[in-house]
Amino acid sequence: MRFLKVAHTFERLEKTSGRLEMTSILAQLFKETSPEEIGKLVYILQGILLPSYYGVDLGLGEKFVMEAISSSTGYSRKEVEDCYKHKGDLGDCAEHFVKNRRQLSLYKEELELLHVYDVMYKIATLSGAGSVQSKIKHFAELLNNAQPLEARYLVRYVLGRLRLGVGDPTILDALSLAKYGDRSWRDALERAYNICADLGLVARTFFESPEKIPSFKVQPFKPLMPALAERLSSPEEIIKKLGCCMVEMKYDGFRMQCHKQGERVEIYSRKLERMTHMFPDVVEEVRSLPYKEIIFEGEALAYNEREDRYYSFQETMHRRRKHGIEEASKEFPLRVFVFDVLYVDGVDFTLKPYKERRAWVEKFSYNVLRASFGAIAENARQVAKLFNSAIKKGLEGIMAKDLNAPYTAGKRKFAWIKLKKSYGKGMDTIDAVIVGYYLGRGARAQFEFGGVLVAVYNDEKDRLETIAKVASGFTEEEMVELKRQLEKITIPKKPNNLASNIEVDFWVEPQIVIEVAYDEITISHLHTAGKGYALRFPRFIQKREDKSLADITTVKEVEELMKGK
Ligand code: AMP
């Protein structure tokens, strides 16, 4: 397939915001894609080279992309920089310079999708002396052969800023539609995706041998999408929803998925990045477990055994950064509170009911690895008692679990329900993503930071919807740090998958997740979340670097929180 065809489709997608229309545009493109191409095309659509756990990131910074544009088109670095300042998007600049080349290349080849992917892969993986110059050279060669529209998307892709606004749910719909003309394969595709977190692999398998999709199996070193929790606001509601259930302590640590096969051990974060090197103490104990293969999940946090005190995620990470992994491990050793077992020696546990998996969880009573504390609750009084004992220990709250539910990879289902401690009377928090920010006025002018616009996720519409402007709760340091981060991800127009009636001074890539406290949820006509939900008195609590877009609060959860008040 010609890359130009892909570029034209991207252009159409950019101009569309309705999910149905996007799905049909994508399905049309998929129909013309070969099984060899589809996996790579899906990665490009996701704006990645490979799933994050491969550790291969797209790799060319702005400065080098400018150099490549300049060397391919004959414009000076200064001209490219000025254009970038003016347009705010290097993709648009590349398109402009390629259209008006000063320097024509000697021979031109039409760009093929597979070739583009392979060159991007090479650019990402080149290392060692002289590698930067050769990355620039490879990229400039792509630009030499590019049409203006292709240049726009090549540049945005290599910078990791494709922002087509196409979510995974839309890609899954389009795959089914392209091959069978309807959505009948949607659920099977989604399950396969959720248990391997590799949409390119799922797409390729589906195009090559669809019969393999329903029997996709969990396997070591293919992390599963983490199950997500719903939220209710009282013990009574939990019992009404689940009946007799398992109530576990909710540890506010670092969620990890541990995989072992023979001697090899890997640890994945909640965002499914490979974090093995950060946890040598955990790796050693996982390696010595009495199973050939195992996949399990737990929450890691520093623990002061003498004082029976748990440290939060933020404190744990801060200690490890400040004192180094070795030192921090000695002083306040890490404990991993195991809360689910997903696979053991060739047997996939994900479809087994939690009560069976919990029996495996309880086998963990080692040094670093321990079973999360849990007890059966039959009524609201027992749930409340467990909740109070969690809070007394300095924990975040409890996690109630449906004893009969399978592991709901990648989904927010009522298999897990969290009940969290409020930060004060009438105060609760949500996790929202920053979509834009304001410059400071008055006393804030010196920080050039006046607050952020945040959004939650509407999973039915597969889009982000605004819920609050957050302007308080930041320390001076936090303002400076956040401003610095936001500047790097500023984009020239509203993200494509965001519904907003509000303007900001600067739009940003939606990727920084923050925890926001508020007094009440009201209905305003200012915001787009659900029926126009808005937070009253929103204030910043902390950044949640461990969370990605997939983890942010959903509109449904907001509705639940509103009922709880
Ligand atoms: P939240 O981040 O508030 O949506 O809560 C869900 C998170 O709680 C999960 O992603 C886990 O990281 C964490 N967690 C802590 N303790 C448990 C537990 N016992 N069972 C499941 N998840 C837990």
Side-chain angles (χ1 to χ4, degrees):
M1 172 179 286
R2 294 270 309 278
F3 188 68
L4 189 59
K5 175 150 234 146
V6 176
H8 277 301
T9 307
F10 286 1
E11 191 183 30
R12 283 180 68 197
L13 286 170
E14 252 189 302
K15 291 186 181 143
T16 313
S17 55
R19 178 160 170 196
L20 281 180
E21 205 183 331
M22 277 190 170
T23 312
S24 94
I25 295 174
L26 266 187
Q28 255 172 15
L29 181 70
F30 289 172
K31 271 192 203 152
E32 298 172 43
T33 312
S34 72
E36 205 198 343
E37 291 165 331
I38 187 78
K40 291 172 178 170
L41 176 58
V42 164
Y43 293 142
I44 298 177
L45 274 166
Q46 291 183 301
I48 58 174
L49 259 181
L50 281 172
S52 57
Y53 56 87
Y54 283 88
V56 184
D57 294 329
L58 280 156
L60 213 53
E62 278 180 0
K63 229 172 69 201
F64 304 128
V65 171
M66 288 197 231
E67 215 165 303
I69 296 174
S70 154
S71 96
S72 158
T73 59
Y75 286 83
S76 70
R77 268 297 297 274
K78 168 102 185 28
E79 283 169 308
V80 178
E81 264 168 43
D82 288 347
C83 174
Y84 183 29
K85 271 191 206 130
H86 174 67
K87 289 190 190 277
D89 180 312
L90 267 181
D92 290 347
C93 297
E95 180 175 9
H96 167 75
F97 290 124
V98 166
K99 197 185 276 165
N100 304 291
R101 280 179 194 284
R102 281 196 186 134
Q103 169 180 301
L104 292 179
S105 46
L106 285 180
Y107 59 92
K108 271 183 89 101
E109 273 172 51
E110 289 178 346
L111 289 177
E112 283 289 314
L113 165 68
L114 288 178
H115 175 67
V116 166
Y117 182 89
D118 290 346
V119 175
M120 294 287 190
Y121 189 86
K122 203 184 273 170
I123 292 173
T125 50
L126 274 170
S127 63
S131 60
V132 171
Q133 280 316 311
S134 72
K135 284 175 192 229
I136 296 172
K137 194 173 132 265
H138 284 301
F139 193 65
E141 273 166 19
L142 279 182
L143 291 180
N144 286 346
N145 290 316
Q147 308 265 357
L149 195 65
E150 291 175 312
R152 181 203 293 175
Y153 293 108
L154 286 171
V155 164
R156 289 190 190 162
Y157 179 47
V158 83
L159 288 170
R161 297 187 198 152
L162 206 49
R163 337 176 271 274
L164 297 168
V166 180
D168 297 343
T170 308
I171 300 180
L172 286 164
D173 278 348
L175 285 168
S176 177
L177 203 61
K179 204 159 161 61
Y180 290 100
D182 57 29
R183 288 185 174 68
S184 54
W185 279 74
R186 173 65 159 78
D187 289 350
L189 286 167
E190 188 175 342
R191 164 149 172 93
Y193 179 35
N194 282 336
I195 60 177
C196 72
D198 187 339
L199 196 48
L201 173 69
V202 171
R204 201 177 66 218
T205 311
F206 183 51
F207 271 42
E208 273 167 7
S209 10
E211 71 286 354
K212 289 193 183 148
I213 291 291
S215 53
F216 235 72
K217 289 259 168 340
V218 173
Q219 32 172 323
F221 313 123
K222 283 264 165 215
L224 294 88
M225 302 276 232
L228 303 171
E230 291 281 0
R231 169 180 345 218
L232 287 176
S233 32
S234 70
E236 289 73 23
E237 281 179 294
I238 289 181
I239 288 293
K240 203 164 119 206
K241 188 87 195 172
L242 298 182
C244 175
C245 57
M246 170 65 65
V247 173
E248 294 177 14
M249 299 293 113
K250 184 171 189 306
Y251 305 90
D252 176 22
F254 183 94
R255 181 173 185 166
M256 51 171 64
Q257 206 180 100
C258 304
H259 289 226
K260 162 186 158 63
Q261 185 175 52
E263 288 296 297
R264 180 174 169 204
V265 171
E266 299 288 359
I267 295 178
Y268 303 99
S269 70
R270 176 182 186 130
K271 288 184 183 166
L272 304 188
E273 281 153 347
R274 207 162 46 186
M275 308 297 280
T276 318
H277 62 284
M278 293 250 318
F279 301 101
D281 32 359
V282 182
V283 170
E284 200 179 314
E285 203 168 285
V286 174
R287 189 173 289 130
S288 66
L289 287 174
Y291 314 102
K292 238 196 229 127
E293 297 177 316
I294 186 162
I295 303 176
F296 63 91
E297 268 196 305
E299 194 83 2
L301 62 167
Y303 178 55
N304 180 338
E305 197 121 35
R306 228 179 16 241
E307 293 173 22
D308 190 22
R309 173 161 179 227
Y310 299 91
Y311 290 88
S312 70
F313 169 76
Q314 305 290 332
E315 286 169 306
T316 303
M317 288 328 214
H318 179 67
R319 279 174 178 283
R320 285 169 90 81
R321 252 178 242 136
K322 196 163 151 206
H323 305 291
I325 293 172
E326 291 282 319
E327 273 308 300
S329 312
K330 258 187 242 146
E331 202 190 343
F332 296 112
L334 210 61
R335 296 279 173 262
V336 179
F337 293 93
V338 176
F339 57 74
D340 221 315
V341 178
L342 309 175
Y343 174 94
V344 179
D345 291 335
V347 184
D348 181 346
F349 283 16
T350 54
L351 294 175
K352 293 185 191 288
Y354 186 56
K355 53 178 176 279
E356 276 181 44
R357 306 201 307 281
R358 178 72 205 177
W360 282 82
V361 167
E362 278 166 17
K363 292 179 203 263
F364 282 82
S365 80
Y366 302 97
N367 181 32
V368 178
L369 304 170
R370 317 238 169 142
S372 58
F373 177 81
I376 297 279
E378 287 174 346
N379 53 46
R381 206 172 41 77
Q382 289 170 345
V383 175
K385 209 166 145 206
L386 287 158
F387 177 76
N388 290 335
S389 84
I391 301 302
K392 245 189 240 138
K393 284 192 172 85
L395 295 169
E396 245 197 325
I398 51 170
M399 194 66 103
K401 299 191 172 173
D402 181 342
L403 290 163
N404 297 312
Y407 182 80
T408 51
K411 294 209 164 150
R412 206 178 283 280
K413 284 260 168 97
F414 282 97
W416 292 2
I417 304 176
K418 63 190 170 191
L419 181 63
K420 283 218 232 183
K421 137 184 105 171
S422 298
Y423 283 85
K425 200 165 171 294
M427 227 199 319
D428 214 330
T429 71
I430 62 162
D431 296 319
V433 68
I434 300 180
V435 293
Y437 68 98
Y438 300 90
L439 292 176
R441 283 171 252 282
R444 291 279 181 82
Q446 56 167 317
F447 302 108
E448 295 187 322
F449 178 79
V452 293
L453 178 65
V454 297
V456 290
Y457 179 58
N458 184 327
D459 53 357
E460 271 160 27
K461 298 191 174 151
D462 188 20
R463 68 176 196 185
L464 299 169
E465 299 178 342
T466 72
I467 191 159
K469 272 189 194 176
V470 187
S472 66
F474 304 96
T475 63
E476 289 184 5
E477 272 164 22
E478 282 165 345
M479 281 194 259
V480 173
E481 151 95 12
L482 205 55
K483 170 78 198 305
R484 205 171 38 82
Q485 269 190 310
L486 290 168
E487 263 171 356
K488 285 200 201 132
I489 54 168
T490 301
I491 51 179
K493 59 180 181 40
K494 184 171 77 66
N496 208 19
N497 56 342
L498 170 72
S500 174
N501 301 328
I502 298 181
E503 278 302 318
V504 290
D505 289 330
F506 293 101
W507 294 109
V508 296
E509 297 278 356
Q511 48 180 240
I512 300 178
V513 178
I514 61 172
E515 186 176 357
V516 182
Y518 58 90
D519 280 2
E520 198 188 346
I521 299 172
T522 56
I523 297 200
S524 81
H525 296 290
L526 207 58
H527 288 288
T528 49
K531 298 190 178 116
Y533 303 125
L535 304 184
R536 232 164 95 82
F537 299 126
R539 49 221 176 267
F540 173 82
I541 298 291
Q542 59 180 344
K543 258 197 308 192
R544 291 295 311 237
E545 277 164 35
D546 58 322
K547 294 205 170 183
S548 65
L549 263 188
D551 297 310
I552 63 173
T553 302
T554 59
V555 169
K556 270 193 224 128
E557 248 190 290
V558 171
E559 268 159 20
E560 200 49 57
L561 283 163
M562 201 169 168
K563 270 198 275 164
K565 289 281 163 196

